[in-house]
Amino acid sequence: MTAGGFFAAAPDAALAALFVPFDVGELRLPADGRALFLRARAGMRLREMAQPGWLCEQGFLPFADELGRNGLRVGEPAADEKFPLVLLLPPRQRDEARALFARALRHLAPGGTVLAAMPNAEGAKSGEADLTKLAGAVQHLSKHKCRAFWSTPQPADVDQDLLAEWLGLDAPRTIVDGYVSRPGLFAWDRIDRASALLAEHLPANLHGRVADLGAGYGYLSTQVIARCPRVDALDLYEAEARALEPARTNLARAKRECGRELATTLYWHDVTRGLAQRYDAIVSNPPFHQGRADLPELGRAFIVSAAEALLPDGRLLIVANRHLPYEAVLASRFHEVRALVVREGFKVIEAVGVRG
């Protein structure tokens, strides 16, 4: 945990494994000191290896902030920018990972090397096989229960048709009920059951300015628009930048379908660091894990931020897995706390009246 939030980017085995090829002499850092690190994560090994010419790309804001606090340059490469070394930590979701491999090759300079690392238990062999399909010959090393694999392809080695196809895998796409999402987002290809339960129990008398914390591709916000006609302003907070474009599309459709005007704003923001606005009501399906590890402190941090942002008579509506221990922090922050429904392993809780 950092002073500002619970999402600090802790060093992990994949990051350590990523630099093993340099440690054992299989690879050398570029002479010009330039590299692109896609899906970069902060950690001791990165601080040891990174040079001033490295550019770290990270769309999850808490991780991006941690990279910046470590003195690393964070941003996005220009569309035509090329690097002699492209590093990446591919995600578990395969379509998202394939799109990332394709982006890595698009930004690779002639004669350059693309290097990835993945935990063995999270698809490392599949990731290596995908890079092989795309770039040709691949080498690998195993360490820390992870696999580092790399390729230094000639232009003729790269399957350009496959590269174009895989670049498109990251594009927002229609999933169910007309919603737009993209691979790798939370519940990206469906309507999350917990969020649907909360939507079913949204009070029609919600009014004024409302916030959706951890909005994802915007499902809950669209339901607020459809079910709560007295809401006249709606702010969405989401830490994953890749979710913002689908959310914007889904909001636009929801406003067209409801046939009324209301102000909507999307914020790329880490909710655990607090909110700048004050609200009449807040809705949330707060995260309670980081990667595969349960971390209920995340949900509690969302509750604290919500309580601090609500007006004195404001209302918080959250949904959570039934076993998560949120009641104590809710009772410490609100005068009234009650469960609206407990069903299918989830609970919808309403908290009203912020304690001074």
Side-chain angles (χ1 to χ4, degrees), residues 175-193:
I175 50 167
V176 295
D177 295 346
Y179 284 99
V180 172
S181 182
R182 70 195 322 167
L185 301 181
F186 170 70
W188 79 270
D189 58 350
R190 63 191 183 278
I191 294 172
D192 174 64
R193 289 190 300 135

Side-chain angles (χ1 to χ4, degrees), residues 214-238:
Y217 66 75
Y219 168 76
L220 263 181
S221 288
T222 67
Q223 293 299 302
V224 169
I225 292 171
R227 297 170 183 262
C228 308
R230 294 175 57 193
V231 171
D232 51 39
L234 181 60
D235 292 346
L236 285 69
Y237 291 86
E238 174 53 48

